[in-house]
Amino acid sequence: AQSVTQLDSHVSVSEGTPVLLRCNYSSSYSPSLFWYVQHPNKGLQLLLKYTSAATLVKGINGFEAEFKKSETSFHLTKPSAHMSDAAEYFCVVSVLNFGNEKLTFGTGTRLTIIP
Amino acid sequence: KAGVTQTPRYLIKTRGQQVTLSCSPISGHRSVSWYQQTPGQGLQFLFEYFSETQRNKGNFPGRFSGRQFSNSRSEMNVSTLELGDSALYLCASSLTQGSGEAFFGQGTRLTVV
C-alpha cells in the first residue's frame, strides 16, 4: 500500500521569503514522487518529479524538492516566494505494479503569499 | 500542442439522473485517468484507461463507469446521481502507462441538486 501525508494544510509566507511545503510518504515499493500545483479554477500542473535518479530535483518556477529515503520525505522548497505562487500544492506518490500505475494524492497544502 | 480538453466545464443535474463527461487527451497520449476532487475527500482516483482497456480502478461504487475509444478519447458516466457526487471531475492524460507524468484538464464541475 502507498500513502502520502502533507503535514500542513495551510502555509503563509511573505513575498520574497523562503517556502517550505512538507510531505512524507509511505510505499511498499520503490516510489516515484511528484509535486503538482493547482491554481484557482484550473487543473493540476506538474511542478517536478523524482524517479530514482538525483535526490535533489529541480522543477519549474524555481521550485525544488529533495528525496530523503531515511526520513521518507519529499519536501518542496523555493528560496523566494512570489505572489504568483499562491495556489494549492499536492504531493503525489506513484507505484508501478505489474504494469499498472496508481497515483495517490496528498490532501493538499494551500500556500498564501503575504504582500 | 493542444492540452487536455474536458467537456462540459460546468453541469447541473438532479438527483437520480445520469451524466456523461468527456475527456480528449493530448494528441499521442494513450493513457487517460479520472479523478474526483471534493473539499472533504480531496483528490480521489476513479479509474485509468490505456488502449481502450480499464487498467486500474479506485474505490468507487459501480454507478461510476468509464470507457475509452480507439482515438484515446474517454468518457465517464455516473448513473443515479446522488448529492454527494457533486465535485470537480478531473481527467489526466499520459503518454504511456507508468510515466507518472500526467497532464490535467481544467475539469468538469458537477453540481447535483
Side-chain angles (χ1 to χ4, degrees):
Chain A
Q2 62 198 53
S3 66
V4 63
T5 302
Q6 291 185 244
L7 299 170
D8 307 292
S9 60
H10 192 189
V11 170
S12 294
V13 302
S14 296
E15 190 176 16
T17 64
V19 175
L20 169 64
L21 305 184
R22 299 182 294 165
C23 172
N24 286 352
Y25 71 91
S26 170
S27 175
S28 304
Y29 304 94
S30 296
S32 293
L33 294 159
F34 309 82
W35 276 97
Y36 282 83
V37 61
Q38 185 178 32
H39 288 92
N41 299 314
K42 300 280 189 182
L44 280 75
Q45 180 186 18
L46 180 67
L47 272 179
L48 50 80
K49 63 180 179 180
Y50 165 78
T51 54
S52 77
T55 57
L56 183 62
V57 182
K58 294 189 184 299
I60 61 172
N61 300 334
F63 284 95
E64 61 182 38
E66 185 172 8
F67 174 73
K68 291 187 177 181
K69 187 175 181 180
S70 61
E71 298 176 12
T72 61
S73 69
F74 190 58
H75 301 336
L76 181 70
T77 61
K78 182 173 180 178
S80 176
H82 191 272
M83 293 302 294
S84 62
D85 295 329
E88 186 136 21
Y89 293 78
F90 294 92
C91 182
V92 182
V93 61
S94 164
V95 171
L96 187 61
N97 189 23
F98 297 105
N100 294 320
E101 179 189 39
K102 183 179 176 184
L103 299 182
T104 301
F105 285 76
T107 51
T109 297
R110 182 164 300 278
L111 177 63
T112 299
I113 311 297
I114 303 165
Chain B
K1 64 184 172 183
V4 178
T5 303
Q6 290 187 246
T7 57
R9 289 290 314 278
Y10 302 92
L11 206 49
I12 300 175
K13 289 285 189 178
T14 305
R15 270 184 303 174
Q17 286 187 311
Q18 74 164 15
V19 66
T20 299
L21 312 182
S22 178
C23 172
S24 293
I26 292 172
S27 178
H29 284 195
R30 296 169 61 193
S31 174
V32 174
S33 299
W34 289 89
Y35 296 84
Q36 181 195 65
Q37 186 176 27
T38 59
Q41 300 295 321
L43 266 158
Q44 293 187 288
F45 172 75
L46 279 156
F47 27 65
E48 178 192 10
Y49 288 86
F50 182 79
S51 294
E52 302 177 64
T53 302
Q54 186 179 92
R55 299 300 180 104
N56 228 335
K57 192 177 189 310
N59 297 323
F60 278 81
R63 300 185 298 107
F64 291 81
S65 63
R67 58 177 175 169
Q68 186 180 34
F69 302 95
S70 58
N71 62 357
S72 294
R73 191 177 70 86
S74 177
E75 289 181 347
M76 69 163 280
N77 185 76
V78 188
S79 62
T80 319
L81 284 165
E82 300 176 0
L83 295 179
D85 297 333
S86 296
L88 180 66
Y89 289 88
L90 291 165
C91 164
S93 80
S94 302
L95 190 59
T96 61
Q97 265 199 310
S99 71
E101 185 172 345
F103 296 81
F104 283 78
Q106 288 190 283
T108 294
R109 172 79 60 189
L110 172 65
T111 302
V112 182
V113 297

